[in-house]
Amino acid sequence: MRPVHFPDRHRRLLIALIALFPPLAGLAQGTEEARLSLPEAEKILLDANPAILQARAALAGARAGIDIAGARPNPQLTVGATSTDPGRNGSNSFWKQATDNTVRLDQLVERGNKRDLRLKAAGSNLSATGADLDNTVRLARIDLANAWLDLRAAREIRRIADENAALARRAADAAELRGKAGDLAGVDVARFAADAARVANDAVQAGLDLDRARIALALLLGNRVAPAGLQTTDEWPSAEPAPAGTEAERADLVAARRRVEQADALRELARAQRTRDVSVGLQYEHAPANANNAFSTTSYGLSLSVPLMFGNDYRGDIARSEADYGAAEQQLIATRAFVSSEQSRLRAEYAARQSRYRRLAEVVLPAAERAGRGADVAIQKGGMSLTDYLDTQRSLRAARIETIQARADLARATLMLRLAGDSQ
């Protein structure tokens, strides 16, 4: 396209238009908001996230399971009358009534090491539930990092979208003035107006994305912070990930391993049911004097009860426990494979996003900024058409948005890789 030389009055109008661009950087910062860093958000997350609170409640239940598993069978006390003599008038004393009074105490004695096996299973369940809590915190931190970075990027994109909208609106106004002066065709004036409306819609969408990001982050924080006042700080997380899987085993792996131990203890407990428990009973019986016996009598008894396994030999319980143990082993194998593949995938994503961000930050964005500065000089000297100038400015802002998104993606990949090997 051939350069267009504008009359002096139009050139002064364009220079005045360009002079309005620098203040646009502060358009989105007019409202003071509470800024929340990622570590500060994590503190709120640990106290308010619903999933973490539920996992803590499950851990409290697992602790109670230790007391339940360690409880011994309660003895059973029986007091009753075993016979009556309606024809005899007795005294008001219960012990002298015309009945045979009995007091019996029964105690179930567990055999087959059942109590220790229950305690072992409950202990493994407690360890697994604690690891589940750690993994829930890890997953919540992943969700928090994604939501925080979405809000952090949405802030910048909203700011640039507002700048684009203001630029397009001023360009449309300038084009309208030129059209009225007869220096610009009506079709070009209409094109600038349509472009301004389109860019204004982009700014509205950016504002909607910002509101959505605020609401999503507030939900993760248990709505402890109002979405309308939720904001992030300006810093980005470190671009260097911590070595994954080198310091401690990941929480979901620990949980799967403890589930295997629990299933093994429950399998042994199911087998132990074939070891018969016995019930020992002690009985004291008092028979008062009656028509057939001139003197009261006292007797003592000892009993031993053993179940006869004619109807249930617990083969179903044992078979189910074997199936549960096999399922727990397969879950451990699947979890181990998932962790390994996830870490490999995240390392590949980190390397790709790091390369993309470096190309944008070191090549694309500097080139777009040089082109933008050159366009500013060229248009002031009449060496560039307004259309080319606006295209150059839009390309610059598009490069800025892409660089911001790439920076957010790199920070996301960094945090995901770090948390992929974190047992916290």
Side-chain angles (χ1 to χ4, degrees), residues 272-277 306-314:
Q273 291 185 89
R274 286 182 170 175
T275 301
R276 294 173 175 83
D277 297 334
V306 179
L308 301 178
M309 296 183 182
F310 293 153
N312 182 16
D313 60 356
Y314 299 102

Side-chain angles (χ1 to χ4, degrees), residues 81-384:
T82 59
S83 65
T84 62
D85 185 1
R88 180 176 181 272
N89 294 324
S91 66
N92 293 329
S93 172
F94 171 80
W95 205 247
K96 295 182 179 181
Q97 293 293 323
T99 59
D100 291 339
N101 304 309
T102 59
V103 178
R104 182 179 179 86
L105 185 66
D106 292 281
Q107 176 64 59
L108 179 67
V109 180
E110 289 185 315
R111 301 174 62 240
N113 205 28
K114 294 184 180 68
R115 180 174 179 272
D116 290 341
L117 289 172
R118 286 199 307 270
L119 284 171
K120 181 179 178 182
S124 298
N125 181 59
L126 178 61
S127 299
T129 307
D132 286 339
L133 173 60
D134 292 339
N135 194 51
T136 300
V137 173
R138 185 183 70 86
L139 295 176
R141 291 177 65 192
I142 289 176
D143 292 339
L144 176 67
N146 281 317
W148 192 93
L149 288 170
D150 287 343
L151 180 55
R152 175 69 181 85
R155 284 179 51 215
E156 296 295 325
I157 294 174
R158 169 65 184 275
R159 178 181 62 80
I160 295 176
D162 287 342
E163 292 181 7
N164 286 340
L167 169 64
R169 183 66 264 164
R170 284 164 173 76
D173 292 341
E176 186 177 357
L177 291 177
R178 290 180 56 196
K180 291 179 179 179
D183 191 43
L184 191 65
V187 65
D188 292 330
V189 174
R191 188 181 62 176
F192 277 108
D195 182 71
R198 178 186 60 79
V199 178
N201 284 338
D202 292 341
V204 171
Q205 182 62 45
L208 177 59
D209 293 340
L210 178 61
D211 290 337
R212 286 174 174 172
R214 283 174 170 167
I215 293 171
L217 181 55
L219 183 61
L220 283 175
L221 300 179
N223 289 323
R224 294 288 181 90
V225 182
L230 188 56
Q231 191 59 279
T232 66
T233 52
D234 293 334
E235 75 275 2
W236 293 96
S238 171
E240 295 298 329
T246 57
E247 296 183 358
E249 192 174 34
R250 217 170 80 169
D252 50 353
L253 269 176
V254 174
R257 198 181 304 280
R258 295 295 180 265
R259 297 294 181 200
V260 172
E261 295 174 1
Q262 179 188 10
D264 182 55
L266 292 175
R267 179 178 61 171
E268 294 299 324
L269 181 60
R271 293 171 179 171
Q273 291 185 89
R274 286 182 170 175
T275 301
R276 294 173 175 83
D277 297 334
V278 298
S279 181
V280 179
L282 295 175
Q283 179 172 311
Y284 170 79
E285 182 176 354
H286 174 76
N290 53 42
N292 299 321
N293 187 7
F295 303 96
S296 63
T297 59
T298 300
S299 61
Y300 301 90
L302 174 66
S303 64
L304 185 67
S305 300
V306 179
L308 301 178
M309 296 183 182
F310 293 153
N312 182 16
D313 60 356
Y314 299 102
R315 70 178 64 184
D317 294 27
I318 294 173
R320 184 175 64 181
S321 67
E322 291 286 354
D324 291 343
Y325 178 76
E329 280 192 321
Q330 291 302 315
Q331 182 61 42
L332 175 59
I333 294 172
T335 303
R336 188 182 292 116
F338 172 78
V339 170
S340 177
S341 63
E342 182 186 38
Q343 291 178 352
S344 298
R345 174 180 60 82
L346 290 174
R347 286 194 178 94
E349 288 183 3
Y350 171 78
R353 291 178 178 179
Q354 186 182 48
S355 298
R356 176 172 176 262
Y357 173 69
R358 285 180 176 173
R359 284 192 296 270
L360 286 168
E362 297 174 3
V363 179
V364 177
L365 183 59
E369 289 177 343
R370 287 195 300 270
R373 290 192 297 267
D376 290 339
V377 174
I379 199 169
Q380 292 181 37
K381 295 181 177 181
M384 176 179 285

